[in-house]
Each structure stands twice: as structure tokens, then as C-alpha cells.
Amino acid sequence: MKIAPDTVVSFHYRLRNSAGEEIETSHDGEAMAYLHGHRGIIEGLERALSGREAGESFSVEVAPREAYGERRDDALQRIPMKQVLTKGKLKPGMAIHVRTEHGPRQVMVVKAGRFVVDVDTNHPLAGQTLTFDVEVREVRAATAEELAHKHVHGPGGHHH
Ligand code: ZN
């Protein structure tokens, strides 16, 4: 079965950043599973998977605009310390969680003061060209329930 909209795809991957360093891998755990055609994974990777079959391996380079976007200079924000959810002393470069009107969100500390903290809300991988080494493990038709929920159930997906 070829990967097409409304198929459930399981795959293993290694992710490398612009510098060629491996920053993530699924090989130490279970394969990643997603519902194809519903923006469950980054755009450039989903497009590269389209039409593949179980057993195929490939590498794909994904530009920032099809991954986590370009870095934005207006992504620097000053946040009251009381909105910081991460406990302990804050240091520049640290990833912390803050409460926002859209729910908890991960940001990076630029400078921490006594009552406020300056953070960078860019995604850590914004501005990076990413390389994925992918092995497609399984392709199957989604169940009616998965299509209604817009996500995968079972291994590598949601459990509820
Ligand atoms: Zn569900």
C-alpha cells in the first residue's frame, strides 16, 4: 500500500540539524505513527513520504519554511516571572515552560531578571534546514474512528 491521504504511516527516523548533528531519533523507542494528509508532521517530511511504501528508506532535506519556519526577530518577549512554570534558577539558553493565553509553551531564556524574564519564543529548530533519514515500517488504511479523531490510535499514536 502506498502512502496517501488517510493512510496511517509508521516510520523510524533520525533527525539532523543544519550542522549535521543528530538531534532526535526514534530508533531507541517505538516507531512514530501519524495520519497522512492531516498536517500531523512537518510539511516537508509529509510530502517526502507521500507515495512511499513499507520497507523503503530515504533521506530528505527540509528547508525552514517547510519545517519549523524562519527565525523571527519579533519573537523576543518579556514575561512576568509569575507566568513561568519551570521551577528553579533560570539561566540564559535554558528551555523553560511559561503560561500563555494559548496554554503552556516552551521558550528559551535570553535574560532572567528578578520579576521578569526575557525569552525567545522561536521554535528551537526555527531557521534550520533539517535532514531526516527515514525508514517506512508500515502503511495501513486509517480506521473510521481515527479519521473522526484526526489522529492515530494504538502503537506510536494516541491511547485513550
Ligand atoms: Zn482518538
Side-chain angles (χ1 to χ4, degrees):
M1 180 175 234
K2 284 193 195 306
I3 297 174
D6 299 346
T7 56
V8 169
V9 182
S10 304
F11 66 98
H12 270 298
Y13 69 96
R14 282 178 214 287
L15 169 56
R16 286 178 280 133
N17 63 13
S18 295
E21 298 154 345
E22 182 175 303
I23 48 177
E24 244 180 72
T25 177
S26 66
H27 286 272
D28 45 16
E30 63 183 347
M32 160 107 183
Y34 78 98
L35 179 61
H36 192 81
H38 296 268
R39 297 182 163 266
I41 59 172
I42 65 170
E43 192 184 339
L45 180 58
E46 186 167 57
R47 196 204 332 259
L49 278 154
S50 198
R52 308 265 182 183
E53 292 181 85
E56 279 190 67
S57 297
F58 65 94
S59 291
V60 60
E61 209 169 78
V62 182
R65 86 192 134 74
E66 287 193 318
Y68 294 99
E70 298 292 350
R71 287 188 62 81
R72 294 180 14 240
D73 291 336
D74 64 355
L76 297 180
Q77 282 182 25
R78 179 158 288 181
I79 291 184
M81 207 53 101
K82 61 178 194 296
Q83 278 173 241
V84 174
L85 300 169
T86 303
K87 302 274 176 252
K89 190 167 164 48
L90 306 184
K91 295 194 184 101
M94 210 173 141
I96 61 169
H97 286 90
V98 297
R99 196 181 309 121
T100 73
E101 58 190 47
H102 307 295
R105 179 153 182 201
Q106 186 177 305
V107 297
M108 195 187 74
V109 176
V110 176
K111 188 170 161 228
R114 193 175 163 88
F115 301 109
V116 295
V117 56
D118 292 336
V119 299
D120 183 342
T121 63
N122 278 301
H123 188 280
L125 294 176
Q128 302 236 15
T129 296
L130 305 176
T131 303
F132 290 89
D133 302 316
V134 178
E135 289 171 34
V136 182
R137 303 305 282 265
E138 192 194 344
V139 183
R140 64 170 170 84
T143 64
E145 192 185 46
E146 286 171 326
L147 287 174
H149 289 201
K150 301 273 188 245
H151 60 224
V152 174
H153 292 162
H158 287 239
H159 301 274
H160 64 131

